[in-house]
Amino acid sequence: ALLFITVYTADGFYEFVESSCVFNSTKLDDIEYIRSYYYNKLEYTRFSSSVGKYVGYTEYGVRNAEAWNKDTGDLAAMRAQKETYCLINVGNDHEAAL
């Protein structure tokens, strides 16, 4: 029997941001807005509407969260995403599923 293992390494770095809405119903109270920041597939910072602020998961992420949590305007905008971004899209997804 032969075993082949292929290893692929990327030349470069990969950073991305993912926004998602987690929901059990179309009611605003049952919706959570999450924005996650990743670097090379490792989540380093997250905003969750349930927590209401940024949380860091790495040393770099903790520094980002501390700085971003001081910006009250940004926090207000992120907290509003639950209603402005999620509520409309959850309603559309719910209707499409039915």
Side-chain angles (χ1 to χ4, degrees):
L2 295 173
L3 176 64
F4 292 98
I5 299 175
T6 303
V7 178
Y8 175 76
T9 59
D11 294 8
F13 304 99
Y14 188 62
E15 183 170 22
F16 65 98
V17 178
E18 177 184 70
S19 295
S20 60
C21 301
V22 180
F23 60 97
N24 292 324
S25 74
T26 57
K27 296 178 186 175
L28 190 60
D29 292 342
D30 294 333
I31 299 172
E32 178 183 19
Y33 173 75
I34 299 171
R35 178 175 282 178
S36 298
Y37 298 81
Y38 294 89
Y39 182 75
N40 284 349
K41 300 180 184 178
L42 176 67
E43 184 178 21
Y44 62 88
T45 308
R46 173 187 291 186
F47 174 87
S48 168
S49 64
S50 296
V51 178
K53 65 179 185 175
Y54 291 95
V55 176
Y57 298 108
T58 65
E59 184 179 337
Y60 175 69
V62 169
R63 286 195 314 265
N64 280 339
E66 288 173 355
W68 296 346
N69 285 331
K70 292 177 183 176
D71 186 348
T72 57
D74 180 59
L75 280 179
M78 292 301 290
R79 290 177 184 140
Q81 291 298 308
K82 177 178 172 178
E83 188 170 351
T84 58
Y85 176 75
C86 290
L87 191 59
I88 293 168
N89 289 312
V90 165
N92 292 337
D93 291 346
H94 186 261
E95 289 297 318
L98 297 177

